Amino acid sequence: MIDVLVVDDDFRVAEINAKYVGKVPGFRVAARAHSAAQALATVERGGIDLVLLDHYLPDRTGLHLVHRMREQGHGTDVIMITAASDVTTVQAAMRLGALHYLVKPFTFAALRARLDSYAALRRTVDRVGGHGLTGQEQVDRIFGALRTAAVPPSPGLPSGHSEPTTDLICAVLHRAGHPLSAHEVAAKTGLSRSTAQRYLRHLEQAGRLRLSLKYGDTGRPEHRYAWVTP
């Protein structure tokens, strides 16, 4: 089994990512961390093979954490999973040895593709190293193991929608136990109101949410959404 540390400052996102990892054969979540300090302490205790790392953490950036890990001699592998998509951050991640870089929001299929290629890399390195092989062919085989196939859009989701965001909104509504407006969902998830409204409308049309109207003294009625228990 490949032991994974999931690092994200948002507890709900960390939980979603951990559930995704648990769906991939050969991987298990060994720990979760919500800050760079907590993540570094977990790595220092040992037993972590792979870190799924967010860049925006409350105390330090994810890249600073990777730099500290390398300074202290920790060769733990890293896959960046973050909303940071600027060229400077991506280049810095490459230079620090991140094996993959996955931009939020993403689908389960996209994460699985990265994890599968990482598992293939480990198998290739073990096989080549076990035979003591050297040479360009073996080097090409190792680097080639990290290639990932193009991931098709997740079935059932409109263009521009992602599984993690959908799961996050569903989790908020499920825990609430009462109808919420798009404004309230946006506040609880950190999404913009327009994004929350777009996802809520799709989920309501798909039959996963129930729409009700709350009438005030003036103005339009407020749309409120509630989780539909299967």
Side-chain angles (χ1 to χ4, degrees):
M1 295 294 288
I2 296 172
D3 288 315
V4 180
L5 168 62
V6 176
V7 184
D8 199 293
D9 66 316
D10 190 313
F11 284 72
R12 293 164 295 185
V13 173
E15 181 64 23
I16 291 170
N17 291 348
K19 288 181 178 178
Y20 279 177
V21 172
K23 294 181 180 180
V24 182
F27 290 83
R28 64 185 173 195
V29 176
R32 300 173 183 80
H34 308 291
S35 68
Q38 188 180 7
L40 183 59
T42 304
V43 170
E44 288 175 339
R45 286 197 294 269
I48 300 297
D49 300 307
L50 175 66
V51 180
L52 299 185
L53 180 60
D54 188 18
H55 180 58
Y56 298 118
L57 299 173
D59 48 352
R60 297 282 187 175
T61 66
L63 292 183
H64 183 272
L65 170 61
V66 180
H67 182 68
R68 286 292 307 277
M69 287 167 54
R70 301 303 181 240
E71 276 188 336
Q72 297 182 14
H74 299 297
T76 310
D77 294 320
V78 174
I79 293 178
M80 298 296 296
I81 298 183
T82 175
S85 58
D86 58 284
V87 174
T88 301
T89 303
V90 174
Q91 286 181 328
M94 292 174 61
R95 289 166 182 157
L96 287 170
L99 297 178
H100 277 300
Y101 198 107
L102 190 56
V103 178
K104 296 177 180 177
F106 57 90
T107 64
F108 167 64
L111 176 59
R112 175 163 189 167
R114 272 69 178 181
L115 294 179
D116 284 343
S117 73
Y118 173 71
L121 171 66
R122 287 173 62 98
R123 290 192 299 269
T124 302
V125 170
D126 290 343
R127 186 163 56 249
V128 171
H131 291 83
L133 301 177
T134 58
Q136 189 63 53
E137 182 180 351
Q138 285 70 41
V139 172
D140 290 344
R141 192 179 305 167
I142 292 172
F143 276 85
L146 277 175
R147 297 194 186 112
T148 56
V151 179
S154 179
L157 286 180
S159 176
H161 287 61
S162 74
E163 287 184 6
T165 304
T166 301
D167 290 346
L168 178 59
I169 290 175
C170 289
V172 165
L173 286 162
H174 186 265
R175 285 198 300 267
H178 58 84
L180 297 176
S181 67
H183 177 76
E184 291 170 325
V185 171
K188 291 178 179 294
T189 59
L191 300 169
S192 68
R193 187 185 182 282
S194 61
T195 298
Q197 182 66 63
R198 181 158 47 89
Y199 277 81
L200 290 167
R201 189 179 300 113
H202 166 69
L203 290 167
E204 187 267 328
Q205 292 173 350
R208 299 175 67 181
L209 301 180
R210 182 179 66 255
L211 172 64
S212 60
L213 300 178
K214 180 181 179 181
Y215 291 88
D217 296 332
T218 59
R220 297 179 178 178
E222 182 183 52
H223 288 204
R224 300 182 69 80
Y225 298 86
W227 178 257
V228 176
T229 303

